[in-house]
Structure formats: structure tokens, C-alpha cells
Amino acid sequence: MAVDKNMRILIVDDYKTMLRIIRNLLKQLGFNNIDEAIDGSSALAMLRSGNTYGLVISDWNMEPMTGLQLLREVRADAHLKALPFIMVTAESKTENVIAAKEAGVSNYIVKPFNAETLKTKMSSVLGDF
Amino acid sequence: MNQDDAEIALQKRLDLIRAARGNSVPLDDVAEVVRAILDTMSGEISSNELRVYNELEALAVIIRKTKQEIADIRPDEIKDDFLPTAADELDAIVQSTETAANTILDAVESIEAVIPNCDAAVAEAITNATMQIYEGCNFQDLTGQRISKVVNTLKLIETRVNGLVSAFGAEIEEVLRNRPEGEAVAAAPETPVREDADLLNGPQHPESASSQDEIDRLLASLG
């Protein structure tokens, strides 16, 4: 099944520059329906606002709610638990990857990353595009 | 007083202080205990008692010397001037890199805006180049995170220095008395504890960081 490039994607990062970079990379990959949040709490509010999202791409290290906490909230929410969730983070230790996996992450990208990695991980989660 | 009595007396005094003040005992209190024990060791003393006496005296000398050395490094100055200045400089670096990254992104977005006016081959070449620029701009995020780690280390040092300033005796107080009025010693700000705080390590050094391939293998092994 083809990936719907009009799907609404939520990107979450406390660095506005990083949000801008990911947004532009997504646009170059053909995805234009993009929302942004600067921490886990505001992301969770947006996810619960009634909009239907097809993918979350989230940083880990944010305040007050981290990306891992956001992921746990998403997986614990009956309406959101199946939502594809990709962690994009500088946290590259084994225990981080294990914690994210145990929390139900769909895929994991370590910063700094390139567009090809982003595309590959999105494809593994959403299907080829 | 013989050696055993001296050790028991010393232990009793130290236990009393520890019960009252925990493990963070000001050196002045320890010095006072040493003085008190020395005072009790008057009259004829045995060779064992003399050894204890000498050790206590040596301890008193070390305490005096340590107090003077700590006073000499001016912990109040480190706390009030050096650490805040270092933190300000690091904040300025983060701000500069953010400004630079956004300037680059502004320029790239302007270039992208003219892509529709280009033929296919040129458009593809520009798109590939701009994508590489976006990838390169990752540096700003990583720089910011690395600097945040350094700032957190500075805060830890500040807490330790605060402890020195609080715990020390007359030498530090004299230094503090010479400070301008109104500059009270402030407690270190409390940092909120997050449930995954032990996992927030920030960027690793290149030689120890896991690559994307290693992370992919780890993820796959986890099922």
C-alpha cells in the first residue's frame, strides 16, 4: 500500500533550528503536512487535540516532558497507541536504545543523521515511498 | 590519659559531631576536637601516647594548612565571577551557532524557492546540494547539547564551591566580609528530576558513540 504523502506528521524538538531542518528534509521527501511541537507536553496535547497524525518524529532530551515520556504516554493511550513513532536523538547509548524499544519506539535515528537515513527509517515504519 | 583512652575520647567526640552535623563536618570542629584531646594528654606520657600525640599534632597542622590553601583559592570569587562568566560565554556560543544556522537555512530556503524555475537536471542538483546543507546544519543541535552538558558540570562545581564557602571557618568568612554588601551566598538552583534522568547523557564523543548501523543491529536484536 502506497504511503500517503499528505499524512499529517508531528515533529517534536526543543531546538527550533532542528525543527526547521527536519521540516525541510521532509518537504524534500515529499511530505508537506507537518506540525511542530517544542516539547513532549505540547506534542501530547496536539496528538490528543483531535487531529489525526500518521507519524511522530521526536527528539528525546526535552523539558518538561522528554521524548521517552511522550512515547510512553502515546503507547498508553488507547487512541494513539498504534501511532508510528520515530525517535531522533543524540542519545546513542545501548541503554537508551533498549529503553526506547521497551517503550515501543517504531524506529530510532541517531543524530547527526542524513536525509537517506530519515527516508530509510520512515520507509521501514510506513512502507516504501 | 593513655592511648586507648585517647582513641575512645576522640571517637566519642567525632561521633557526637557526626550525629549533630552528619558527614559534612567543618574542619574547625575537627580541629577543636584535636585540640581538646591534646589538652587532656598532659603530664608524663608513654611512647604510645607520644605517637598518638604526634599524629594528632600532625593532623592539626594539615587542617590549618588545608584551611589556608582553600581560603587562598578564593572560592567566593570562583562562585561569583568565574563560573557565571564561563556560563555566559557558553550561552553566547549557543546563541551564535543558532544565529549562524538560521542564516544558512534562510539562504538555502531562498535557493529552494527558485528550483521551480530551473530545468530538471539543475533542479535535482540544487535539491541534492540543499539536502546536504540541511544535514550539515545538525551541528547546531549537537553543539547546543554538548554545551548544555558543560553548563551542567559548571553548576555541579558551583554547588561544591557553595559547600566549601558554607562549611569553612574564619578564613573564608574573612574573605566574605570583604565582599561588597548585598552579595549573599545563594543556594544552588534546584534542577527538576525527570523519570528518565539517568538516560539523558547527550551526544557521545565520536570514538565512543554508537553508529546508526550499530543501533540498527541492536534494535533488530531486540525483536
Side-chain angles (χ1 to χ4, degrees), chain A residues 107-128:
Chain A
N107 219 314
Y108 197 104
I109 297 174
V110 63
K111 294 177 181 174
F113 64 97
N114 58 36
E116 186 57 35
T117 300
L118 179 62
K119 183 182 181 190
T120 303
K121 300 308 171 193
M122 288 177 64
S123 294
S124 77
V125 171
L126 304 171
D128 289 335

Side-chain angles (χ1 to χ4, degrees), chain B residues 15-30:
Chain B
D15 287 345
L16 280 172
I17 293 175
R18 193 173 286 121
R21 312 194 64 150
N23 285 324
S24 179
V25 179
L27 285 180
D28 277 343
D29 288 3
V30 179

